[in-house]
Amino acid sequence: MKVMKLLEQFLEKSTLVGNENRLVTTVDFQNDFKREDYEYIHLPGLNIFLDKQAGEAGIRRALIEADYAIAETGSVVIDSCNENLRLASCLAEKLDVVFPLSKLVDNMHDVADFLEERTSESGGYVAFITGASRTADIERVLTVGVHGPKEMTVIILNDL
Amino acid sequence: MTIHTKIDEKLNDKVLYQNLKGFATAYKASKENAYKGLDFEALRTKVHDLKDRDLNKVMQQFNQFKENVEKHGCKVFQAKTGDDACRYIADVMKSHGAKYMVKSKSMTSEEIQLNQYLEKEGLSPIETDLGEWILQIANEHPSHMVMPAIHKTRQQVAKIFSDYTGEKVDPDDIKAMVEIARRFLREYYFKAGVGMTGANVAVASTGTIGLVTNEGNARLSSTVPPVHIVLVGYEKLCDDFGQALDIVRVLPKSATGQIITSYTTWIKGRTPSHKNADGIKETHYVFLDNGRLAFLEHPKFKEALKCIRCGSCANICPAYEMVGGHVYGDRYIGSIGLILTALYQGDAAAKDILKMCIGCRACSFNCPSGIDLQTLISDLKLVVGKKYGINPVKKKVFKSVVAKPKRMKSLLSVGANFQFPLTTTNKLNQEKIIKTVPMLPKEMDFRKFPALASKTFSKRFFKDGYDQFSSQRKVFFYPGCAIEYFYPEMGLAMVKLLQKSGIQVDIPKVAACCGIPAIASGDPDNARTMIFNTLDKLNDAKDYEALLVLCPTCGGAIKHEFLDFTKADPDRYKKASQLGQMVTPVGQFLEDQGIQFKVIGNKTVTYHTPCHDSRSLSYSAEAFLSSVLGEQFIPLTDSNVCCGFGGTYSLDFSSISNGILNKKIENIEATKAEILVTDCPGCVMQINGGLMHQKKAVKVMHLTEFIENHLVVVE
């Protein structure tokens, strides 16, 4: 039951920042997702990959698996040390992130050990991502897509 | 340009006024939302405590950080001064033949004026934060730490962009302007040989930095170019991720009212980078001292090094809201800006701007690191006041009048007797006011001044026999100058009420000033004399149930400032401490007695919470009034925001004071209440003066007068 409460909290916060959120089974996800929609895919959990180095022109859409998600803030946590993954997540017009429900944690401190582990050795880059790239620097008007993704979709695999 | 010219220029800037006013309102609501369900006090105490450390501890953290990154081939440079840091960064750029450096927002780089330095060297730093980029191409500097271009309208930005790009820019289309920034800056990320970021936290246990951003520009600056330079002050170090996350939990909530920003990024140096021959990023850390290390050992100013740069002390500052960060601060902005200007750039650079603090203490209560900002400003005011002198007229008045209670009494008594040709009765409320103050500068003419009372409070107290009432139950009452000379009826209303309840009220034989006017003006010597005068004339604590005040500013002084000024004098310190613990605002005392009141008549009432009631004495009469008055009570928007008085501040910075007062009056009018109650004679003087000047019919009353006239005790 606790996980449903966390999910509710996650969805509330994730919706608040303008994300589209989808809850699906793994089978449905695998059947429905169209590989050709993406220019970059990194889903180690499902063993689906499509590699590309995003350049100045950016890429249309990327699909990335998160290591964790945080209910407290509605964030996904992605180890982005892999340079192409990092470029894709920074430069995609649309960013889709997938995570299994079992990776949803209560709060930021629950990933402290993960951060410690992933940045202990040479080179480490872990991102909490909570919505599209945004700014309010002109007259405090919220505008998305200033440097990075203009849209974000979160796909939660509710059977994993 | 003098500070007053600068202030006037900003006060005439309608765009700035609207932008800051709109932001202040929106910020309060979103911050409250962001912290909903969380214990703000507990969170900020945590951050305060984890940042509470000495030089030794910080150097331990630094050495651990350094070891963790150097073992993987990162470079660490310790910059003693801003110029050292600038030179190092320029050298890194030159060694790579890099003309361009993309940088994400870093207040530390503003502190050391990095861009100016690099440009002189023929190098091109490119600000990639949208607000910073707007200002860079407009050749300006930030007016807010988190929203650097808050002083600009979309039309102004459109003009800046169209001049810069040579393209036509729709002056109303913000989305299109953001697209322009995306297009132009994207090119620079890929052109730049070096990327620079700051760091919101630097985690010693692994050598990882944490960056909190919304736009994603720090991610691109730290990812695309082959070289990454991190510019960071030593104070950003923390032990581990537990501490870092404690900071990240409060930072965005206090900064912009967001639960979290779009991106919180944790970077350890030497990430993969295909642009380098070895496929690994070159990483440099520039740790900046520039005075920080010295102040870590300072008993008071080390507090300033707990700042996490959220900018929220500006967001809730009523004076900042009037003039913005180009005047209220320097390289750093808001309350912390006044302080850091003094610490990093020297007191000469800070001596004028420090005076702009009105002393409302809102920042101290709002700081997510628990820094008592207002006290630090007050301390610095005393330092610069002593070193550079204060307004000579004020100094003379403090020295030869206010610090000499008998002379003050006889002078004001002469004033009271001979003021009659100048006084008149204000028609709307039948109160005696000064008709016109001779030679009053125009900007000071924004409120009516009350006439001096024909007899002082003390005179009436003794003459009318209030000292004859005796009882086992006793309280001591410190009237303060405003009650003594201007508003004796507020004091007498309280005395009558308490005596009716069987409580004896004693007062000092001779009235003396609490010292706050001198402290606020930066005059420590006269402040000390005033404090000793007052303290020596207060009766010992042991015979009394409470030390009552009708002016919370005086009460706050006895409770807090008296301790500071008596530290070197054990007897006085002990007395101040014992009395300080007994200071009670009258409303609090009445509530504690459990006396039941009911309202007579059907007048509608609103309430202004005095700054020093809520923030020096932890009291507000709002709950009391609301429960007694029921539907007749109408809550005031921003009730606990300053009214703009600040004692002599309202004369020194009359135009700021007037601006703050006007917002208060707008809120009062919006309640449509017939009576405004407050419990500070200073707030009464300011608000009533403003309402009378604007010919508004709202009646202003001190809590004691309101109780006397509109409530009855339920037997």
Side-chain angles (χ1 to χ4, degrees):
Chain A
M1 255 341 8
K2 189 176 176 233
V3 70
M4 294 323 283
K5 235 184 136 157
L6 290 185
L7 179 62
E8 196 184 311
Q9 197 185 357
F10 177 88
L11 291 173
E12 184 206 326
K13 306 289 193 238
S14 179
T15 307
L16 202 65
V17 294
N19 287 342
E20 186 193 329
N21 298 285
R22 282 166 33 204
L23 265 169
V24 292
T25 62
T26 312
V27 175
D28 284 350
F29 171 74
Q30 280 172 317
N31 290 338
D32 292 350
F33 112 95
K34 296 188 189 65
R35 196 178 166 88
E36 60 275 18
D37 284 348
Y38 297 98
E39 287 184 61
Y40 180 89
I41 303 176
H42 185 85
L43 300 176
L46 302 173
N47 201 24
I48 308 172
F49 298 95
L50 173 65
D51 198 21
K52 180 187 171 118
Q53 186 170 86
E56 194 177 327
I59 56 172
R60 219 173 52 250
R61 193 166 187 176
L63 177 64
I64 295 171
E65 183 178 326
D67 298 278
Y68 286 99
I70 303 170
E72 175 191 7
T73 54
S75 314
V76 295
V77 179
I78 302 173
D79 181 340
S80 329
C81 195
N82 176 322
E83 191 182 11
N84 284 355
L85 189 159
R86 197 158 10 114
L87 286 165
S89 69
C90 289
L91 294 166
E93 301 276 314
K94 292 184 180 181
L95 176 65
D96 294 2
V97 177
V98 181
F99 70 87
L101 186 55
S102 58
K103 290 291 188 180
L104 179 61
V105 298
D106 182 277
N107 68 68
M108 291 194 287
H109 280 78
D110 292 328
V111 298
D113 290 344
F114 177 75
L115 293 173
E116 177 99 20
E117 179 212 318
R118 293 301 167 99
T119 64
S120 283
E121 296 310 314
S122 180
Y125 205 108
V126 183
F128 295 177
I129 301 181
T130 320
S133 151
R134 65 188 53 223
T135 184
D137 273 352
I138 304 176
E139 285 191 16
R140 296 183 301 108
V141 175
L142 181 67
T143 315
V144 291
V146 55
H147 296 283
K150 298 174 175 176
E151 287 174 34
M152 179 167 168
T153 303
V154 176
I155 301 150
I156 304 163
L157 304 178
N158 57 11
D159 56 344
L160 284 183
Chain B
M1 222 194 292
T2 70
I3 184 111
H4 283 283
T5 323
K6 282 193 204 163
I7 290 171
D8 288 343
E9 189 186 290
K10 296 301 173 192
L11 288 172
N12 287 323
D13 184 342
K14 299 272 178 311
V15 168
L16 183 71
Y17 178 83
Q18 281 309 332
N19 286 8
L20 293 179
K21 187 168 182 246
F23 173 61
T25 309
Y27 169 76
K28 274 175 215 153
S30 42
K31 183 194 158 198
E32 197 177 312
N33 247 331
Y35 277 108
K36 203 156 64 192
L38 297 170
D39 182 347
F40 178 62
E41 283 306 318
L43 293 176
R44 73 187 198 130
T45 304
K46 215 169 189 180
V47 174
H48 178 271
D49 291 352
L50 77 88
K51 291 238 171 198
D52 199 30
R53 60 215 160 148
D54 58 11
L55 177 62
N56 191 29
K57 170 74 183 171
V58 170
M59 290 324 287
Q60 273 175 21
Q61 291 173 327
F62 168 72
N63 287 328
Q64 194 185 359
F65 187 99
K66 181 170 184 267
E67 193 184 317
N68 273 321
V69 295
E70 277 184 344
K71 71 179 175 206
H72 301 299
C74 303
K75 306 266 192 313
V76 176
F77 178 70
Q78 293 182 263
K80 252 199 144 25
T81 66
D83 268 1
D84 290 346
C86 290
R87 197 174 311 115
Y88 181 86
I89 294 165
D91 287 348
V92 172
M93 287 181 74
K94 286 179 192 164
S95 72
H96 287 272
K99 178 168 168 50
Y100 296 102
M101 176 172 83
V102 278
K103 63 192 285 271
S104 66
K105 200 154 82 58
S106 151
M107 286 308 297
T108 313
S109 74
E110 297 286 345
E111 174 190 332
I112 64 173
Q113 302 194 304
L114 176 65
N115 289 358
Q116 288 92 318
Y117 186 100
L118 295 178
E119 279 158 14
K120 262 190 221 144
E121 297 275 314
L123 301 164
S124 301
I126 308 291
E127 295 289 351
T128 60
D129 173 85
L130 176 61
E132 291 271 357
W133 189 57
I134 294 167
L135 298 182
Q136 187 181 29
I137 59 185
N139 202 17
E140 288 184 30
H141 65 275
S143 73
H144 189 282
M145 295 206 283
V146 177
M147 280 154 301
I150 191 165
H151 57 287
K152 292 270 180 249
T153 59
R154 63 185 81 188
Q155 288 79 15
Q156 291 169 328
V157 175
K159 171 89 174 52
I160 293 166
F161 278 9
S162 112
D163 289 349
Y164 178 77
T165 61
E167 298 172 11
K168 211 166 147 350
V169 181
D170 180 345
D172 291 312
D173 192 347
I174 291 178
K175 209 167 165 43
M177 293 178 222
V178 171
E179 274 296 330
I180 290 174
R182 183 181 176 97
R183 186 152 46 85
F184 275 81
L185 290 170
R186 179 68 65 87
E187 194 188 325
Y188 280 116
Y189 291 120
F190 285 85
K191 254 200 321 211
V194 175
M196 198 199 99
T197 68
N200 294 97
V201 286
V203 184
S205 65
T206 53
T208 308
I209 60 156
L211 285 168
V212 173
T213 75
N214 272 311
E215 297 184 3
N217 57 320
R219 285 157 54 78
L220 283 158
S221 300
S222 61
T223 292
V224 182
V227 180
H228 181 196
I229 301 174
V230 179
L231 173 64
V232 56
Y234 286 93
E235 78 280 12
K236 298 288 176 62
L237 285 157
C238 60
D239 285 338
D240 51 31
F241 284 99
Q243 292 190 346
L245 289 164
D246 285 335
I247 294 166
V248 169
R249 181 166 285 128
V250 297
L251 177 55
K253 294 182 179 70
S254 282
T256 53
Q258 289 174 282
I259 292 166
I260 193 167
T261 49
S262 299
Y263 303 105
T264 302
T265 311
W266 306 94
I267 308 173
K268 170 75 174 285
R270 307 279 287 160
T271 49
S273 172
H274 71 278
K275 286 190 176 179
N276 274 331
D278 63 355
I280 300 176
K281 170 109 49 189
E282 182 179 313
T283 315
H284 298 260
Y285 298 90
V286 179
F287 275 86
L288 181 68
D289 176 354
N290 204 25
R292 288 163 170 78
L293 298 181
F295 286 113
L296 278 169
E297 291 291 289
H298 191 284
K300 281 182 174 171
F301 298 136
K302 68 173 189 179
E303 285 295 307
L305 295 171
K306 295 184 174 133
C307 173
I308 58 170
R309 305 281 187 274
C310 70
S312 70
C313 51
N315 301 354
I316 47 75
C317 172
Y320 170 88
E321 196 184 316
M322 293 307 307
V323 296
H326 284 159
V327 178
Y328 205 92
D330 196 86
R331 293 171 200 171
Y332 291 103
I333 288 141
S335 307
I336 193 69
L338 306 189
I339 298 163
L340 293 183
T341 301
L343 300 190
Y344 296 162
Q345 288 161 245
D347 53 24
K351 65 181 171 43
D352 290 334
I353 59 177
L354 281 165
K355 294 177 191 155
M356 269 189 296
C357 167
I358 195 168
C360 75
R361 300 181 59 75
C363 52
S364 296
F365 280 71
N366 190 63
C367 174
S369 307
I371 306 170
D372 185 357
L373 295 150
Q374 194 274 328
T375 298
L376 294 182
I377 294 173
S378 186
D379 287 343
L380 284 165
K381 269 189 191 178
L382 294 173
V383 174
V384 301
K386 197 159 167 76
K387 188 161 166 185
Y388 298 95
I390 67 164
N391 177 336
V393 178
K394 263 202 204 179
K395 178 122 196 155
K396 200 162 166 66
V397 172
F398 289 151
K399 188 165 188 250
S400 26
V401 183
V402 189
K404 299 206 162 68
K406 283 191 180 143
R407 188 175 298 170
M408 171 132 149
K409 188 179 156 191
S410 56
L411 256 177
L412 287 177
S413 132
V414 172
N417 287 329
F418 290 96
Q419 66 181 338
F420 65 89
L422 299 173
T423 61
T424 182
T425 303
N426 188 54
K427 286 202 184 75
L428 273 171
N429 60 9
Q430 298 304 309
E431 289 176 29
K432 254 191 143 182
I433 55 170
I434 305 289
K435 204 168 12 186
T436 39
V437 180
M439 297 176 19
L440 185 74
K442 197 170 138 269
E443 69 273 13
M444 291 189 195
D445 186 22
F446 63 93
R447 59 173 184 212
K448 298 291 179 195
F449 292 91
L452 284 161
S454 56
K455 290 194 190 91
T456 65
F457 169 77
S458 303
K459 192 161 185 184
R460 289 178 65 180
F461 182 86
F462 293 116
K463 202 162 163 271
D464 296 350
Y466 291 105
D467 59 331
Q468 300 303 311
F469 184 93
S470 81
S471 163
Q472 291 293 92
R473 298 193 59 194
K474 290 178 201 165
V475 293
F476 196 79
F477 171 51
Y478 173 71
C481 301
I483 304 286
E484 177 70 5
Y485 295 110
F486 290 98
Y487 299 120
E489 60 284 0
M490 293 176 187
L492 293 169
M494 182 204 73
V495 172
K496 285 183 256 178
L497 182 68
L498 291 177
Q499 292 188 349
K500 248 190 250 172
S501 305
I503 297 166
Q504 176 183 333
V505 182
D506 289 351
I507 66 166
K509 291 271 176 294
V510 183
C513 172
C514 69
I516 283 288
I519 295 173
S521 304
D523 183 351
D525 299 333
N526 285 314
R528 181 169 297 101
T529 311
M530 295 175 199
I531 286 173
F532 285 9
N533 282 341
T534 298
L535 192 57
D536 295 350
K537 287 175 183 77
L538 292 174
N539 291 9
D540 273 335
K542 61 179 187 332
D543 298 331
Y544 297 98
E545 288 180 29
L547 171 54
L548 295 185
V549 288
L550 295 190
C551 173
T553 308
C554 301
I558 299 172
K559 217 174 168 66
H560 306 290
E561 279 82 356
F562 277 29
L563 291 177
D564 282 342
F565 278 85
T566 53
K567 276 202 176 116
D569 184 340
D571 280 2
R572 284 193 171 110
Y573 183 83
K574 190 166 75 183
K575 186 173 179 186
S577 168
Q578 287 166 344
L579 286 169
Q581 288 165 30
M582 294 176 62
V583 171
T584 315
V586 68
Q588 172 86 65
F589 185 78
L590 292 173
E591 285 191 52
D592 292 348
Q593 301 309 304
I595 304 170
Q596 295 295 309
F597 292 96
K598 70 172 187 198
V599 62
I600 38 177
N602 53 8
K603 289 232 160 44
T604 49
V605 177
T606 192
Y607 173 70
H608 161 72
T609 311
C611 296
H612 300 140
D613 236 354
S614 60
R615 292 185 280 266
S616 295
L617 302 178
S618 321
Y619 177 72
S620 160
E622 185 160 7
F624 167 74
L625 289 169
S626 162
S627 88
V628 174
L629 293 166
E631 283 180 2
Q632 280 166 254
F633 182 77
I634 306 155
L636 178 66
T637 302
D638 290 339
S639 172
N640 66 353
V641 173
C642 182
C643 67
F645 183 59
T648 56
Y649 186 96
S650 63
L651 300 174
D652 292 340
F653 295 101
S654 48
S655 44
I656 297 178
S657 171
N658 182 18
I660 299 172
L661 174 61
N662 280 334
K663 289 179 187 171
K664 182 60 70 181
I665 289 178
E666 272 175 36
N667 287 329
I668 294 169
E669 285 200 285
T671 67
K672 298 199 165 63
E674 292 154 281
I675 300 173
L676 173 101
V677 176
T678 188
D679 39 357
C680 167
C683 301
V684 170
M685 198 177 283
Q686 172 86 344
I687 297 172
N688 200 23
L691 287 165
M692 288 192 283
H693 184 84
Q694 297 181 19
K695 301 195 167 53
K696 307 267 160 77
V698 184
K699 177 86 181 156
V700 179
M701 304 178 101
H702 193 286
L703 180 67
T704 58
E705 299 171 288
F706 177 75
I707 294 175
E708 182 179 41
N709 291 296
H710 295 275
L711 300 184
V712 286
V713 175
V714 183
E715 298 296 342

